[in-house]
Amino acid sequence: MACEISHGRVEECKDSVSGLKAIYIINYDDLNEDNATFDTGTTDEEDELVSWTPAAPLSMYKYELKSTANALNTTINASRDNGTTFFSQELVVNLKRQDVVTHKQVKLLAYGRPRIIARSMTDQFFMLGFAQGCDVSAGTIGSGAALGDFNGYQLTFTAEEELPPLFIDAADETALATAFADGSATDAVIVTS
């Protein structure tokens, strides 16, 4: 039976931290899911993305996150009656301060369905929207009222996928760019402005 588990888990040490450092946004049509390679050494499932070869050099648009309000959560949706399971991926980001360039990019994000990589504070990378892409399902653009209120963009991205967010086999940003190298071995370009 394909759904039998194969590992246990010991109680982990308390040496981890939570939160997100950054997200990397990839236009949906820049990647074809047939060109993804997975680590299947310990499992027969697609749990860890090793590389993804785009047809042309890839741009990843990096958004740094410096707030405790940013979060990645996944809800497991399973129905015994229907025999179905899917994973609702939700990413909440807060981008401080409004500007004309970000204003346009937020509008384009709302129109599109990008794939998004989230980088945790412990330098783990997760791919959201692997097959279907992500949608901006909620958001606000606000100036705040008091001097200390939040001014900027609060966005919620959601994706419904057959799998939870995929781990990406990368320890840092350089390895991430290499994991998305094109067919001629040109690493992905991480765009910060």
Side-chain angles (χ1 to χ4, degrees):
M1 179 178 227
C3 55
E4 294 178 350
I5 68 169
S6 59
H7 292 280
R9 187 167 195 242
V10 298
E11 179 65 22
E12 293 291 323
C13 296
K14 298 179 291 191
D15 61 351
S16 187
V17 294
S18 299
L20 298 175
K21 282 185 184 179
I23 59 171
Y24 305 80
I25 298 174
I26 302 167
N27 289 314
Y28 183 83
D29 290 335
D30 290 349
L31 291 170
N32 178 336
E33 67 183 281
D34 293 335
N35 296 335
T37 304
F38 297 93
D39 177 6
T40 57
T42 58
T43 178
D44 58 350
E45 296 292 327
E46 299 165 337
D47 295 317
E48 185 176 37
L49 184 61
V50 174
S51 65
W52 199 338
T53 308
L58 181 68
S59 292
M60 296 180 172
Y61 300 93
K62 179 180 179 179
Y63 287 73
E64 290 183 342
L65 304 175
K66 305 274 187 201
S67 167
T68 57
N70 303 300
L72 167 60
N73 291 299
T74 302
T75 302
I76 302 167
N77 302 283
S79 170
R80 181 179 295 244
D81 292 339
N82 296 335
T84 58
T85 302
F86 67 94
F87 299 86
S88 296
Q89 305 166 6
E90 181 182 78
L91 174 67
V92 177
V93 297
N94 288 274
L95 307 174
K96 296 181 208 83
R97 189 177 294 169
Q98 295 180 47
D99 62 75
V100 70
V101 172
T102 307
H103 214 70
K104 180 176 182 176
Q105 297 310 306
V106 166
K107 176 182 72 173
L108 294 172
L109 286 168
Y111 292 165
R113 60 178 178 130
R115 291 179 168 107
I116 300 175
I117 296 170
R119 181 180 187 178
S120 73
M121 288 297 208
T122 56
D123 291 322
Q124 293 176 305
F125 293 87
F126 300 94
M127 169 63 73
L128 288 81
F130 171 75
Q132 306 295 326
C134 298
D135 292 300
V136 174
S137 58
T140 59
I141 302 170
S143 64
L147 290 177
D149 288 351
F150 180 81
N151 174 330
Y153 309 89
Q154 296 175 309
L155 304 173
T156 300
F157 295 92
T158 56
E160 292 188 348
E161 296 282 328
E162 184 179 347
L163 302 170
L166 302 172
F167 278 87
I168 299 174
D169 185 17
D172 56 29
E173 202 169 78
T174 301
L176 178 67
T178 300
F180 288 81
D182 70 4
S184 62
T186 301
D187 286 357
V189 175
I190 297 177
V191 180
T192 57
S193 60

